[in-house]
Amino acid sequence: MAQLLLLTMVLLVLGHVPPGRTEFKRCWKGQGACRTYCTRQESFMHLCPDASLCCLAYALKPLPLPKPNHT
C-alpha cells in the first residue's frame, strides 16, 4: 500500500513539472521567434514588441524584392 501511495505522489509531482524546452514568443507570421540573440542558422528580421530580436531561419527568409528598371 505504501508503494502505491508513493507512486501516486511521484506521478502527481511529475505532472506539474514544466517542460524542458523554452517557449519563445512568435513573430514574422509565426515563422520566427523573439530572442535576445539569433543562432548561427538564423537571421535578424526586425524588432519584436518587447525590443528583442525577431530571428528567422535562413531557409524561411523572404527573397529580396527586385529593383525596378527605370528605362
Side-chain angles (χ1 to χ4, degrees), residues 9-40:
M9 293 302 292
V10 168
L11 291 175
L12 287 174
V13 170
L14 288 178
H16 292 286
V17 175
R21 62 182 178 189
T22 305
E23 295 291 331
F24 293 103
K25 293 180 183 175
R26 304 307 291 177
C27 59
W28 200 265
K29 300 177 186 176
Q31 300 294 318
C34 296
R35 298 188 178 129
T36 306
Y37 300 102
C38 296
T39 64
R40 292 183 186 186

